[in-house]
Amino acid sequence: MVCSLAAFLAVRGNGLSPTIERLNIGAVALYKGDTILMPSISQFKSPENTRFGDSLVLQFDLPEYPATPMTLRMRSVHMAFNVFTGGEQIYSFGNDFASRGKFIGSGYHYIHLPKSASGKPMEIRAFFAIDDSRRAFSEFDLFPAEYANSDYFARHVFALVVGAFLTMFGILALLIGVATTFYGISAFRVMMIGLLSNSLGLWTLCHMKLLQIISINLTLNSVLEYLSLYFAPLPFCLLLLNMRKGKISAWKWWGIFGFVVVGFVLLLVNVALHFTGVLAFPKTLPCFHIYVATGMIYLIFTGALYSSKMDRSGKILTLGVVIFASVAGFDLIRYNLCLTYSLENTPLEMTWLPLGALIFVVLLVASYLVYLFHILEDKAEKDVLSTMAYVDSLTGLFNRAKCLQIFGFLDKSTADFAIVSIDLNGLKMVNDHYGHAVGDNLIKAFSVVLKQAFTGIGTTIRMGGDEFLAIVRNEHVADLPAAIEKLQNLQKNCKEELPVPLEAAYGIAYHSETNGDADSVYRVADKRMYEMKTTMKSKLVRK
């Protein structure tokens, strides 16, 4: 994002119009037979109690401008209109939708003026496509035509980068979440962050009318703006439910769940009302504002958002919510003040919500990364403890507990396997004459050669004392004689300084010859090991 912003800022100067004139000239409005004089066309405010289909005519004189082609940029809010200059129509918008009673979007219009229109009267014949429209037209700007497609986007480059970043990041997070789900990894938080980021990014692009850079369908842009706005609380509340589950009291958690249900119902009702033509999205916006404000108040004053015992991940999330709630609360007040008192072209007209959304999503990601770090840290700790539970501390070989676990796996399969029961010779004599420390060295030396001999062939286990085991699965049973021969050679060639040579007796048994469980095969192998030990001619064998 930083690189994108730097690149946009680098080219911003080339997109800005060197000259731009805000038309603060006087105008006349004709509405229901009344003539309304206005000191400034850019400060136009709709008459009170307008209704769908009401006609409005705006008349004003264009200023003198040079011979170069000029463009008039203005913003309309749910209006259909035609533009005339010198009695000739030069622009038209929304009449086909209006004739069918359809919703008309809002956005910026770029009216290319003929050279002959300089200093001439201009007339806008419009009608309202929504009841109680308080802002029909605003921001009449005149500038060279060559900057028609670049000036507005250059002036709002930060919002453009933020909106594009949030949208693309949301899509990427969703793809990662879906992909990791296939591997059995819970990615609910990632997916909710992705949905939230996507909706906030799309809302930013639509609300700031920056989506017009790729789509001039103002109706579609406005519909997407309201849909993304109404949808945004759902992934946020679902994310909060997931992160606060078990960490707050049940009634607080169910309270948040209630807001999810209400938000979902509100979204469905608003969509149904809009697309059936009963009530357009702008008319249901006050209900949404009340819903959001109530939710924020609930989270803050019930303590559902914060507790002193929460972990670092929860604290980062709380910080993000507080920042975003503060910006959103300010924006609600700002929006309604501008709507009520027509405060266009003032500092209050600028929304800070894109910046708040960016900070919020960044902190959400930081919260999730901290949460993920704790999960991985906890898993690593459990893996270490699990390993310690199944590993012999002296030799590093698996222990009896692991042996019993493997026996359980073997009993669930019908495949053949072999068990080698091994008993180290001379351990008692070494312990008695040289001490247990030397005896431990003897055990460790034998463990090394045993593991080397069966590497890639079988699992080596120390059952305890001088008793060892090797388990060979079906696919390596044929390699067992070679492993035994390698073990004997390694014993002979051991270069460890030991008081006695490495020597062991062993017995081998196969599942295919007993058809019993793993423990039965082990007992047969153990019996054969003792038979071998009794026949060995060695001073290390206890008779």
Side-chain angles (χ1 to χ4, degrees), residues 1 158-176 190-208 210-211 213-214 224-225 228-229 354 357-358 361-362 365:
M1 178 188 169
F158 181 76
L160 178 61
V161 174
V162 169
F165 169 78
L166 291 176
T167 303
M168 296 306 297
F169 173 79
I171 294 173
L172 180 62
L174 278 174
L175 292 175
I176 292 174
V190 176
M191 296 177 70
M192 291 303 102
I193 291 174
L195 286 173
L196 181 58
S197 177
N198 206 4
S199 58
L200 291 176
L202 186 59
W203 178 86
T204 298
L205 293 176
C206 293
H207 179 74
M208 298 298 294
L210 296 167
L211 201 62
I213 199 171
I214 58 174
L224 289 176
E225 175 185 350
S228 58
L229 180 65
L358 177 63
V361 170
V362 169
V365 174

Side-chain angles (χ1 to χ4, degrees), residues 404-427:
L404 295 176
Q405 185 186 63
I406 296 174
F407 278 8
F409 293 145
L410 293 175
D411 289 341
K412 295 177 182 179
S413 173
T414 58
D416 193 20
F417 61 87
I419 294 180
V420 185
S421 177
I422 307 167
D423 192 86
L424 179 63
N425 294 338
L427 178 61

